[in-house]
Amino acid sequence: MRIYDIAFYVVVFFLLGILAASLKIDFIIIVLAAVLVAAIFLFSTYFQSYEVQPRKIERKLFWFAGLSLFIIVGALYYFVDDYRSRNINITFDQKISFEGIVTRNPARGNQQKLTIELQPPYSGRVLVKLKNYPSFNYGDLISFEGQIKKPEKGSYANYLAKDKIFGTISYPKTNFISSGHGSKIKSTLFSLKERTVSNFQKVLPAENAAFLSGITLGERAEFSKEFKEAMSKSGTTHLVALSGYNITILVVAIAYILSSFVSRRLVFWLTLLIIIGFVIMTGAEASVVRAAVMGGIILLAKRANRLYSFRNAIAIAGFLMVLENPKVLSFDIGFQLSFMALLGIVYLRPAIQKFFKFSEKPGFLLWKENFLTTFSAQLFVLPLLVLYFGNFSPISLLSNILILSVIPLTMTLGFIIGFLGFIHYYFSLIFGWLTNLLLSYETFVIKFLGELNILQINSLSVPLVITYYFILIVFILYARRLPKPRQNF
């Protein structure tokens, strides 16, 4: 078996172990199951036909038998990480005074949400909900007085646990002590993000500035409740959940600009550095991290003149993220949606293209490209959208086709506005009027189509979900056997 195939299957079996452990399956049962899988692979060698490449098939089965034991390694890694993360000292359900440092950029909207790292004699991480004023920032040391509550078991507790948060406290008494207790690099990047959002707000109407902040920086604090609902119903929420699409636009723009001034080698390192900074600045959401890891792999492959494998890149991106935090696999919705959408684009899109005999031409204003990409991604995430959010509407296909074609230009102009705003307000006004036209068109489409309630799917059973994905896999395998379409459509 080739080395990159070995690496892929190591990751697959490791992630299966992580998944089994996160589902609270007993470690002994996982070990027995892994040994049984290995035994099945070994036993299968005795039933192989020796007419066609017998040794090759036999060696592959032996490899699978050995690699399947990485299921045990994955489960063990999850349990060890879970034990270490729960080594906390928090007093629950009692009024106490404590101090803590803000470890993340605060989430703002109707209220402030602070992720606090407790200071001795306590230890652990809690989520603090406060009024918007007084405003606190990353790295602030604050004293609190109130009751820390343990989240009730369920999806919300799991969501917090993935970020190693084991308690919540709402509207305690607060007192600012000092600032500057965090990373200076993070503080600078968070400040840069806030100033960029402020630059948008100076030259654009409030709603358009909020949407531009969303598609460029993933910032959603200024969205109105009505606009959030319109995005949900029109299937365009993903536009402000930074993903590979946004990262790709950023990487292409940066590489193009830098190539005019510096060498190709320096372009690689500067682009990689900017991607890392962008990920940190935007909060390191699962979709952004996945896209950044894959973008880095693409850059590295081009730098080393190596072939790039989407399969292995997806596996490595998932492996690195799960290695850093095993709980994202089961408890991070963004992680799941991001990877499922990517799988749909990589595997289902070419299958649909072959089956319906679409040519490689993108079509007028990229309508065909956007349709195939959106349709493939939506089909792959549809069950998850229904299970997690309770609805899905096919109207999202139309809204994405109408909007995606102009998003790259909008993002590019947005970054220009943000940059020029640091030089002078009037410079950013030059590009503001054109950006505003594009944003007005996009927000109009979102709100107009968001009012149309067309064939909403509200529930799915687990057996139906399994059947659904089985049909998609069969379709992909069948389409692979079809000839490539002619280039006349």
Side-chain angles (χ1 to χ4, degrees):
M1 190 179 290
R2 291 166 294 192
I3 187 66
Y4 54 83
D5 286 326
I6 294 174
F8 173 76
Y9 290 112
V10 164
V11 170
V12 169
F13 287 121
F14 180 84
L15 293 180
L16 284 175
I18 294 284
L19 179 62
S22 65
L23 295 175
K24 307 301 181 184
I25 300 174
D26 191 87
F27 183 65
I28 299 299
I29 295 176
I30 295 174
V31 171
L32 293 175
V35 172
L36 178 61
V37 170
I40 291 173
F41 281 125
L42 286 175
F43 193 63
S44 299
T45 61
Y46 293 100
F47 295 92
Q48 295 303 313
S49 170
Y50 283 84
E51 295 178 1
V52 182
Q53 297 182 319
R55 296 299 176 191
K56 184 177 180 180
I57 296 174
E58 186 175 320
R59 284 197 300 269
K60 200 167 188 177
L61 288 171
F62 274 118
W63 270 108
F64 280 141
L67 296 177
S68 61
L69 297 178
F70 274 89
I71 294 174
I72 301 173
V73 178
L76 184 63
Y77 185 81
Y78 180 91
F79 286 125
V80 170
D81 180 83
D82 188 54
Y83 173 77
R84 290 173 58 190
S85 66
R86 291 182 182 275
N87 186 21
I88 59 175
N89 179 23
I90 301 176
T91 301
F92 294 103
D93 302 318
Q94 293 182 25
K95 189 174 182 179
I96 61 172
S97 296
F98 60 93
E99 294 181 358
I101 296 174
V102 183
T103 59
R104 292 189 175 184
N105 198 32
R108 309 185 196 277
N110 296 328
Q111 59 184 359
Q112 286 185 92
K113 292 182 180 180
L114 309 180
T115 301
I116 298 294
E117 190 72 40
L118 301 181
Q119 301 300 293
Y122 303 105
S123 64
R125 193 175 291 172
V126 297
L127 180 68
V128 180
K129 298 178 182 178
L130 299 170
K131 294 179 180 179
N132 279 323
Y133 299 98
S135 179
F136 297 103
N137 298 301
Y138 166 78
D140 286 351
L141 176 63
I142 310 167
S143 66
F144 301 91
E145 184 180 335
Q147 287 188 13
I148 300 176
K149 301 288 186 180
K150 184 181 290 186
E152 295 183 7
K153 292 183 178 180
S155 57
Y156 183 62
N158 290 333
Y159 175 79
L160 294 178
K162 76 176 174 60
D163 293 324
K164 297 180 173 59
I165 296 173
F166 297 100
T168 63
I169 180 170
S170 299
Y171 306 105
K173 291 183 179 178
T174 61
N175 183 39
F176 173 78
I177 299 176
S178 58
S179 60
H181 296 275
S183 163
K184 290 186 178 180
I185 294 176
K186 282 188 177 181
S187 295
T188 302
L189 289 172
F190 291 150
S191 176
L192 178 64
K193 176 183 177 179
E194 291 177 359
R195 289 186 61 189
T196 303
V197 171
S198 177
N199 290 340
F200 294 159
Q201 294 170 341
K202 290 177 182 177
V203 298
L204 296 168
E207 188 173 70
N208 288 354
F211 184 61
L212 183 60
S213 299
I215 62 176
T216 55
L217 301 170
E219 181 62 43
R220 286 159 278 186
E222 300 299 323
F223 285 3
S224 65
K225 182 179 179 181
E226 293 75 18
F227 190 68
K228 287 181 180 178
E229 187 175 348
M231 293 194 75
S232 176
K233 289 182 178 179
S234 62
T236 52
T237 303
H238 69 94
L239 294 175
V240 295
L242 295 177
S243 62
Y245 185 73
N246 310 69
I247 293 289
T248 300
I249 294 171
L250 180 66
V251 169
V252 170
I254 292 170
Y256 177 78
I257 294 170
L258 291 178
S259 62
S260 303
F261 303 99
V262 297
S263 65
R264 290 182 60 185
R265 181 179 179 181
L266 197 55
V267 166
F268 166 78
W269 291 110
L270 288 175
T271 304
L272 201 60
L273 190 64
I274 292 173
I275 290 175
I276 294 171
F278 184 77
V279 169
I280 296 172
M281 182 176 68
T282 54
E285 293 185 2
S287 58
V288 187
V289 175
R290 188 270 305 161
V293 171
M294 294 195 65
I297 294 171
I298 294 173
L299 289 172
L300 190 60
K302 289 184 176 180
R303 174 70 183 159
N305 292 319
R306 299 276 184 169
L307 291 176
Y308 173 74
S309 167
F310 268 113
R311 184 198 70 173
N312 280 33
I314 294 171
I316 291 172
F319 174 73
L320 292 176
M321 294 177 67
V322 170
L323 200 65
E324 193 276 331
N325 184 358
K327 289 183 174 64
V328 298
L329 185 61
S330 293
F331 305 135
D332 193 316
I333 298 172
F335 177 91
Q336 297 168 16
L337 291 175
S338 174
F339 275 88
M340 292 303 287
L342 183 63
L343 288 173
I345 294 169
V346 173
Y347 293 106
L348 185 58
R349 185 187 181 283
I352 293 174
Q353 189 168 8
K354 268 190 174 183
F355 186 82
F356 291 101
K357 300 181 179 179
F358 283 104
S359 72
E360 297 291 340
K361 297 178 181 179
F364 179 70
L365 290 178
L366 303 177
W367 76 266
K368 196 186 304 178
E369 176 77 16
N370 291 331
F371 171 77
L372 287 172
T373 300
T374 302
F375 188 59
S376 304
Q378 293 280 5
L379 282 181
F380 242 68
V381 302
L382 189 151
L384 293 181
L385 292 174
V386 176
L387 288 174
Y388 286 130
F389 303 111
N391 68 79
F392 172 82
S393 175
I395 199 70
S396 61
L397 297 173
L398 176 60
S399 58
N400 279 280
I401 290 172
L402 293 175
I403 293 176
L404 283 176
S405 298
V406 294
I407 285 293
L409 178 58
T410 308
M411 285 184 63
T412 302
L413 290 172
F415 284 122
I416 292 174
I417 289 175
F419 174 74
L420 293 177
F422 289 102
I423 301 173
H424 200 282
Y425 164 73
Y426 291 108
F427 289 134
S428 57
L429 277 176
I430 298 173
F431 292 89
W433 69 272
L434 177 57
T435 310
N436 190 49
L437 286 176
L438 296 174
L439 291 166
S440 297
Y441 162 74
E442 291 155 5
T443 54
F444 169 77
V445 171
I446 290 170
K447 289 187 286 187
F448 177 76
L449 295 181
E451 294 178 357
L452 303 179
N453 296 316
I454 302 177
L455 189 64
Q456 287 201 345
I457 303 170
N458 298 315
S459 63
L460 288 173
S461 64
V462 174
L464 189 59
V465 171
I466 295 173
T467 304
Y468 176 87
Y469 280 117
F470 176 77
I471 292 172
L472 285 184
I473 292 171
V474 171
F475 173 75
I476 291 170
L477 294 175
Y478 170 75
R480 281 187 172 185
R481 302 169 64 93
L482 298 175
K484 289 186 177 181
R486 296 180 178 179
Q487 304 298 310
N488 57 0
F489 179 73

